[in-house]
Amino acid sequence: MSETISSFLTQDHRNCDEEFANLENSVASENWAEVEKVFEKFTTDLQHHFDMEEKVMFPTFEERTGMTQGPTQMMRMEHQQMTQIISQMKDDVSNKNKDHFFGLSETLMMIMQQHNMKEEQMLYRMADNHLGADASSVVSEMKDLGKA
């Protein structure tokens, strides 16, 4: 069976969650050289996830359903909110401010968990249902995004 939008993006959420856990572990150990590498990987992977949704899946979903003010708009706003928190966390990494970092990371974790749940339990299923047979081509397009 071909891969669904739901299975592909849910797995990508898990990968990003794992990167985030690695980041928190690195900060906890205060190995700041390691933190910078892990932070870079996490933010790059998360941005790639946002791009796959915002540049490929969301527009296809909106075009097919006519829903532009609904769940995709909310998800874009939450992506922006997470990006802003990560930008502040980057300052904490630069300044080696572990305590402030963990305050922000707790907030980010809550937002990410709620966001992922909404996408996984609602939006991805809707996308698979509405896109039907085209879902696998959307997954292929997302996989190709950002490859040179």
Side-chain angles (χ1 to χ4, degrees):
M1 190 184 127
S2 64
E3 200 168 15
T4 62
I5 289 168
S6 192
S7 64
F8 174 67
L9 288 174
T10 297
Q11 182 55 53
D12 202 55
H13 279 165
R14 298 299 159 268
N15 297 345
C16 288
D17 291 345
E18 201 172 298
E19 292 297 332
F20 186 63
N22 292 341
L23 174 59
E24 289 192 316
N25 291 336
S26 295
V27 172
S29 69
E30 298 189 57
N31 178 349
W32 295 103
E34 175 73 14
V35 169
E36 288 191 17
K37 280 185 238 154
V38 178
F39 185 80
E40 181 65 32
K41 173 134 181 61
F42 168 67
T43 55
T44 301
D45 290 355
L46 190 64
Q47 186 57 56
H48 184 254
H49 179 84
F50 293 167
D51 286 348
M52 288 191 297
E53 291 178 342
E54 293 182 10
K55 294 178 180 176
V56 180
M57 197 272 278
F58 291 177
T60 308
F61 176 81
E62 290 166 346
E63 189 180 302
R64 188 68 56 91
T65 63
M67 282 191 261
T68 55
Q69 300 303 308
T72 50
Q73 183 185 32
M74 177 58 83
M75 296 303 107
R76 282 187 182 96
M77 285 169 45
E78 291 179 6
H79 288 171
Q80 185 58 44
Q81 192 180 9
M82 287 184 264
T83 302
Q84 287 170 343
I85 294 169
I86 289 166
S87 161
Q88 295 172 7
M89 291 167 77
K90 186 177 176 65
D91 291 340
D92 291 337
V93 168
S94 299
N95 300 326
K96 301 176 175 46
N97 188 338
K98 181 171 127 178
D99 294 337
H100 194 259
F101 176 93
F102 277 117
L104 290 171
S105 77
E106 202 172 302
T107 303
L108 182 62
M109 172 64 86
M110 267 183 351
I111 294 169
M112 275 178 24
Q113 286 175 335
Q114 292 168 356
H115 177 84
N116 291 356
M117 202 183 327
K118 285 183 264 189
E119 287 186 333
E120 291 168 19
Q121 293 179 359
M122 193 181 66
L123 183 58
Y124 295 166
R125 290 178 186 174
M126 287 169 68
D128 281 322
N129 290 337
H130 285 287
L131 300 176
D134 294 332
S136 60
S137 67
V138 170
V139 170
S140 294
E141 210 179 316
M142 286 190 289
K143 285 180 176 177
D144 290 342
L145 188 71
K147 289 186 179 169

Coordinates of all heavy atoms in Angstrom, one line a residue, residues 15-69:
N15 N 10.3 12.0 14.4 CA 11.7 12.3 14.2 C 12.0 13.7 14.8 O 13.1 13.8 15.4 CB 12.0 12.3 12.7 CG 11.8 10.9 12.1 OD1 11.7 9.9 12.8 ND2 11.7 10.9 10.7
C16 N 11.2 14.7 14.6 CA 11.4 16.0 15.2 C 11.4 16.0 16.7 O 12.2 16.6 17.4 CB 10.4 17.0 14.6 SG 10.7 17.5 12.9
D17 N 10.4 15.2 17.2 CA 10.3 15.0 18.7 C 11.6 14.4 19.3 O 12.1 14.8 20.3 CB 9.2 14.1 19.1 CG 7.8 14.7 18.8 OD1 7.8 16.0 18.6 OD2 6.8 14.0 18.8
E18 N 12.2 13.5 18.5 CA 13.4 12.8 19.0 C 14.6 13.8 18.9 O 15.4 13.9 19.9 CB 13.7 11.6 18.0 CG 14.7 10.6 18.7 CD 14.7 9.4 17.8 OE1 13.7 8.7 17.6 OE2 15.9 9.1 17.3
E19 N 14.6 14.6 17.9 CA 15.7 15.7 17.8 C 15.5 16.7 19.0 O 16.5 17.1 19.5 CB 15.5 16.4 16.5 CG 15.9 15.7 15.2 CD 17.3 15.2 15.2 OE1 18.2 15.9 15.8 OE2 17.6 14.2 14.6
F20 N 14.3 17.0 19.3 CA 14.0 17.9 20.4 C 14.5 17.3 21.7 O 15.1 18.0 22.5 CB 12.5 18.3 20.4 CG 12.2 19.3 21.4 CD1 12.7 20.6 21.3 CD2 11.4 19.1 22.5 CE1 12.4 21.6 22.2 CE2 11.0 20.1 23.4 CZ 11.5 21.3 23.3
A21 N 14.2 16.1 21.9 CA 14.7 15.4 23.2 C 16.2 15.4 23.2 O 16.8 15.6 24.3 CB 14.2 13.9 23.2
N22 N 16.9 15.1 22.1 CA 18.3 15.2 22.0 C 18.9 16.6 22.4 O 19.9 16.7 23.1 CB 18.8 14.8 20.6 CG 18.6 13.4 20.2 OD1 18.4 12.5 21.1 ND2 18.6 13.1 18.9
L23 N 18.1 17.6 21.9 CA 18.5 18.9 22.2 C 18.4 19.2 23.7 O 19.4 19.8 24.3 CB 17.6 19.9 21.4 CG 17.8 21.4 21.7 CD1 19.3 21.9 21.4 CD2 16.8 22.2 20.9
E24 N 17.3 18.9 24.3 CA 17.2 19.1 25.7 C 18.2 18.3 26.5 O 18.8 18.9 27.5 CB 15.8 18.7 26.2 CG 14.7 19.6 25.7 CD 13.4 19.4 26.4 OE1 12.9 18.2 26.5 OE2 12.7 20.4 26.7
N25 N 18.6 17.1 26.1 CA 19.6 16.4 26.8 C 21.0 17.0 26.7 O 21.7 17.1 27.7 CB 19.7 14.9 26.3 CG 18.5 14.1 26.6 OD1 17.8 14.4 27.6 ND2 18.2 13.1 25.8
S26 N 21.3 17.6 25.5 CA 22.5 18.3 25.3 C 22.6 19.5 26.2 O 23.7 19.8 26.8 CB 22.7 18.7 23.8 OG 22.8 17.6 23.0
V27 N 21.5 20.3 26.2 CA 21.5 21.5 27.1 C 21.7 21.1 28.5 O 22.4 21.7 29.3 CB 20.2 22.3 26.8 CG1 20.1 23.5 27.8 CG2 20.2 22.9 25.4
A28 N 21.0 20.0 29.0 CA 21.1 19.6 30.4 C 22.5 19.3 30.7 O 22.9 19.5 31.9 CB 20.2 18.4 30.6
S29 N 23.2 18.7 29.8 CA 24.6 18.3 30.1 C 25.6 19.5 29.9 O 26.8 19.4 30.2 CB 25.1 17.1 29.2 OG 25.2 17.6 27.9
E30 N 25.0 20.6 29.4 CA 25.8 21.9 29.2 C 27.0 21.7 28.3 O 28.1 22.3 28.5 CB 26.2 22.5 30.5 CG 25.0 22.9 31.3 CD 25.3 23.7 32.6 OE1 25.9 24.8 32.4 OE2 24.9 23.3 33.7
N31 N 26.9 20.7 27.4 CA 28.0 20.6 26.4 C 27.6 21.5 25.2 O 26.9 21.1 24.2 CB 28.0 19.1 25.9 CG 29.0 18.8 24.8 OD1 29.6 19.8 24.3 ND2 29.3 17.6 24.5
W32 N 28.0 22.8 25.3 CA 27.5 23.8 24.4 C 27.9 23.6 23.0 O 27.2 24.0 22.1 CB 27.8 25.2 25.0 CG 27.1 25.4 26.3 CD1 27.6 25.3 27.5 CD2 25.7 25.6 26.4 NE1 26.6 25.5 28.5 CE2 25.4 25.7 27.8 CE3 24.6 25.8 25.6 CZ2 24.2 26.0 28.4 CZ3 23.4 26.0 26.1 CH2 23.1 26.1 27.5
A33 N 29.1 23.0 22.7 CA 29.5 22.8 21.4 C 28.5 21.8 20.7 O 28.1 21.9 19.6 CB 30.9 22.2 21.3
E34 N 28.2 20.7 21.5 CA 27.2 19.7 21.0 C 25.9 20.4 20.9 O 25.1 20.1 19.9 CB 27.2 18.6 22.1 CG 26.2 17.5 21.8 CD 26.5 16.6 20.6 OE1 27.7 16.6 20.2 OE2 25.6 15.9 20.2
V35 N 25.5 21.2 21.8 CA 24.2 21.9 21.8 C 24.0 22.6 20.5 O 22.9 22.5 19.8 CB 24.0 22.8 23.0 CG1 22.7 23.7 22.8 CG2 23.9 22.1 24.3
E36 N 25.0 23.3 20.0 CA 24.9 24.1 18.8 C 24.6 23.2 17.6 O 23.8 23.5 16.8 CB 26.1 25.0 18.6 CG 26.1 26.1 19.6 CD 27.2 27.2 19.3 OE1 27.7 27.2 18.1 OE2 27.4 28.0 20.2
K37 N 25.3 22.1 17.5 CA 25.1 21.1 16.4 C 23.7 20.5 16.5 O 23.0 20.4 15.5 CB 26.1 19.9 16.5 CG 27.5 20.3 15.9 CD 28.3 19.1 15.9 CE 29.6 19.4 16.7 NZ 30.2 18.3 17.3
V38 N 23.3 20.1 17.7 CA 22.0 19.5 17.8 C 20.8 20.5 17.6 O 19.8 20.2 17.0 CB 21.8 18.8 19.2 CG1 20.5 18.2 19.4 CG2 22.9 17.7 19.4
F39 N 21.0 21.7 18.1 CA 20.1 22.8 17.8 C 19.9 23.0 16.3 O 18.8 23.1 15.8 CB 20.5 24.0 18.5 CG 19.5 25.1 18.5 CD1 18.4 25.1 19.3 CD2 19.6 26.2 17.6 CE1 17.4 26.2 19.3 CE2 18.6 27.2 17.5 CZ 17.5 27.2 18.3
E40 N 21.0 23.1 15.6 CA 21.0 23.3 14.2 C 20.2 22.2 13.5 O 19.4 22.4 12.6 CB 22.4 23.4 13.6 CG 22.5 23.6 12.2 CD 22.0 25.0 11.7 OE1 22.1 25.9 12.5 OE2 21.5 25.1 10.6
K41 N 20.4 20.9 13.9 CA 19.8 19.8 13.2 C 18.3 19.9 13.5 O 17.4 19.7 12.6 CB 20.4 18.5 13.7 CG 19.6 17.3 13.3 CD 20.5 16.2 12.7 CE 19.7 15.0 12.2 NZ 18.8 15.2 11.1
F42 N 17.9 20.1 14.8 CA 16.5 20.2 15.2 C 15.8 21.3 14.4 O 14.7 21.1 13.8 CB 16.4 20.5 16.7 CG 15.0 20.8 17.1 CD1 13.9 19.9 17.0 CD2 14.7 22.1 17.6 CE1 12.6 20.3 17.4 CE2 13.4 22.5 18.0 CZ 12.4 21.6 17.9
T43 N 16.4 22.5 14.4 CA 15.7 23.6 13.7 C 15.6 23.4 12.2 O 14.6 23.7 11.6 CB 16.4 25.0 14.0 OG1 17.7 24.9 13.7 CG2 16.2 25.3 15.5
T44 N 16.6 22.8 11.6 CA 16.6 22.5 10.2 C 15.5 21.5 9.8 O 14.7 21.7 8.9 CB 18.0 22.0 9.7 OG1 19.0 23.0 10.0 CG2 18.0 21.7 8.2
D45 N 15.5 20.4 10.6 CA 14.5 19.4 10.4 C 13.1 19.9 10.6 O 12.1 19.6 9.9 CB 14.7 18.2 11.3 CG 16.0 17.4 10.9 OD1 16.6 17.7 9.9 OD2 16.4 16.5 11.6
L46 N 12.9 20.7 11.7 CA 11.5 21.2 12.0 C 11.1 22.2 10.9 O 10.0 22.2 10.4 CB 11.5 21.9 13.3 CG 10.1 22.3 13.8 CD1 9.3 21.1 14.1 CD2 10.2 23.2 15.1
Q47 N 12.0 23.0 10.4 CA 11.7 24.0 9.3 C 11.3 23.2 8.0 O 10.4 23.6 7.3 CB 12.8 25.0 9.1 CG 12.5 26.0 8.0 CD 11.2 26.9 8.5 OE1 11.2 27.4 9.5 NE2 10.2 26.9 7.6
H48 N 12.1 22.1 7.8 CA 11.8 21.3 6.6 C 10.3 20.7 6.8 O 9.6 20.6 5.8 CB 12.8 20.2 6.5 CG 12.6 19.4 5.3 ND1 12.1 18.1 5.3 CD2 12.8 19.6 3.9 CE1 12.0 17.6 4.1 NE2 12.4 18.5 3.2
H49 N 10.0 20.3 8.0 CA 8.6 19.7 8.2 C 7.6 20.8 7.9 O 6.6 20.6 7.2 CB 8.5 19.3 9.7 CG 7.2 18.7 10.0 ND1 6.8 17.4 9.7 CD2 6.1 19.3 10.5 CE1 5.5 17.2 10.0 NE2 5.1 18.3 10.6
F50 N 7.8 22.0 8.4 CA 6.9 23.1 8.2 C 6.8 23.4 6.7 O 5.7 23.6 6.1 CB 7.3 24.4 8.9 CG 7.3 24.4 10.4 CD1 7.9 25.4 11.1 CD2 6.6 23.4 11.1 CE1 7.9 25.4 12.5 CE2 6.5 23.4 12.5 CZ 7.2 24.4 13.2
D51 N 7.9 23.4 6.0 CA 7.9 23.6 4.5 C 7.2 22.6 3.8 O 6.4 22.9 2.8 CB 9.4 23.7 4.0 CG 10.1 25.0 4.4 OD1 9.4 25.9 4.9 OD2 11.3 25.0 4.2
M52 N 7.3 21.3 4.2 CA 6.6 20.2 3.5 C 5.1 20.5 3.6 O 4.4 20.3 2.6 CB 7.0 18.9 4.0 CG 8.3 18.4 3.7 SD 8.6 16.6 4.0 CE 8.5 16.6 5.8
E53 N 4.7 20.9 4.7 CA 3.2 21.2 4.9 C 2.8 22.5 4.2 O 1.8 22.5 3.5 CB 2.9 21.3 6.4 CG 3.1 20.0 7.2 CD 2.8 20.1 8.7 OE1 2.9 21.2 9.2 OE2 2.6 19.0 9.3
E54 N 3.6 23.5 4.4 CA 3.1 24.9 3.9 C 3.3 25.0 2.4 O 2.6 25.8 1.8 CB 3.9 26.0 4.7 CG 3.4 26.0 6.2 CD 4.1 27.2 6.9 OE1 4.8 28.0 6.3 OE2 4.0 27.2 8.2
K55 N 4.3 24.4 1.9 CA 4.6 24.6 0.4 C 4.0 23.5 -0.4 O 3.8 23.7 -1.6 CB 6.1 24.6 0.2 CG 6.8 25.8 0.8 CD 8.3 25.8 0.6 CE 8.9 27.0 1.2 NZ 10.4 27.0 1.1
V56 N 3.7 22.3 0.2 CA 3.1 21.2 -0.6 C 1.7 20.8 -0.2 O 0.8 20.9 -0.9 CB 4.1 20.0 -0.6 CG1 3.5 18.8 -1.4 CG2 5.5 20.4 -1.1
M57 N 1.7 20.3 1.0 CA 0.4 19.6 1.5 C -0.7 20.6 1.7 O -1.8 20.5 1.2 CB 0.7 18.8 2.8 CG -0.5 17.8 3.0 SD -1.8 18.5 4.0 CE -1.2 18.3 5.7
F58 N -0.5 21.7 2.4 CA -1.5 22.7 2.7 C -2.1 23.3 1.4 O -3.3 23.3 1.3 CB -1.1 23.8 3.6 CG -0.7 23.5 5.0 CD1 -0.3 24.4 5.9 CD2 -0.9 22.2 5.5 CE1 0.0 24.1 7.3 CE2 -0.6 21.8 6.8 CZ -0.1 22.8 7.7
P59 N -1.3 23.8 0.5 CA -1.9 24.4 -0.7 C -2.7 23.3 -1.5 O -3.8 23.7 -2.1 CB -0.6 24.8 -1.5 CG 0.5 24.9 -0.6 CD 0.2 23.9 0.5
T60 N -2.2 22.1 -1.6 CA -3.0 21.1 -2.3 C -4.3 20.8 -1.6 O -5.4 20.7 -2.3 CB -2.1 19.8 -2.4 OG1 -0.8 20.1 -2.9 CG2 -2.8 18.7 -3.3
F61 N -4.3 20.7 -0.3 CA -5.5 20.5 0.5 C -6.5 21.6 0.3 O -7.7 21.4 0.1 CB -5.1 20.3 2.0 CG -6.3 20.2 2.9 CD1 -6.9 19.0 3.1 CD2 -6.7 21.3 3.6 CE1 -8.0 18.8 3.9 CE2 -7.8 21.2 4.5 CZ -8.5 19.9 4.6
E62 N -6.0 22.9 0.4 CA -6.8 24.1 0.3 C -7.4 24.1 -1.1 O -8.6 24.5 -1.3 CB -6.0 25.3 0.5 CG -5.6 25.4 2.0 CD -4.5 26.5 2.3 OE1 -3.9 27.0 1.3 OE2 -4.4 26.8 3.4
E63 N -6.7 23.8 -2.1 CA -7.1 23.9 -3.5 C -8.3 22.8 -3.7 O -9.3 23.1 -4.3 CB -6.0 23.5 -4.4 CG -6.3 23.7 -5.9 CD -5.0 23.4 -6.7 OE1 -4.0 24.0 -6.5 OE2 -5.1 22.5 -7.6
R64 N -8.1 21.6 -3.1 CA -9.0 20.6 -3.3 C -10.3 20.8 -2.5 O -11.4 20.5 -3.0 CB -8.4 19.2 -2.9 CG -9.2 18.0 -3.2 CD -9.3 17.7 -4.7 NE -8.1 17.6 -5.3 CZ -7.4 16.5 -5.5 NH1 -7.9 15.3 -5.0 NH2 -6.3 16.4 -6.2
T65 N -10.2 21.4 -1.3 CA -11.3 21.5 -0.4 C -12.0 22.9 -0.4 O -13.1 23.1 0.0 CB -11.0 21.2 1.0 OG1 -10.0 22.2 1.5 CG2 -10.4 19.8 1.2
G66 N -11.2 23.9 -0.9 CA -11.7 25.3 -0.8 C -11.6 25.9 0.6 O -12.0 27.0 0.8
M67 N -11.0 25.1 1.5 CA -10.9 25.6 2.9 C -9.6 26.3 3.1 O -8.5 25.6 3.2 CB -10.9 24.4 3.9 CG -12.2 23.8 4.2 SD -12.1 22.6 5.6 CE -12.1 21.1 4.7
T68 N -9.6 27.6 3.1 CA -8.3 28.3 3.3 C -8.3 29.0 4.6 O -7.3 29.4 5.1 CB -8.2 29.4 2.2 OG1 -9.3 30.2 2.2 CG2 -8.0 28.8 0.8
Q69 N -9.5 29.2 5.2 CA -9.5 29.9 6.5 C -9.6 28.9 7.7 O -9.8 29.3 8.8 CB -10.7 30.8 6.6 CG -10.7 31.9 5.5 CD -9.4 32.8 5.6 OE1 -9.1 33.3 6.6 NE2 -8.7 32.9 4.5

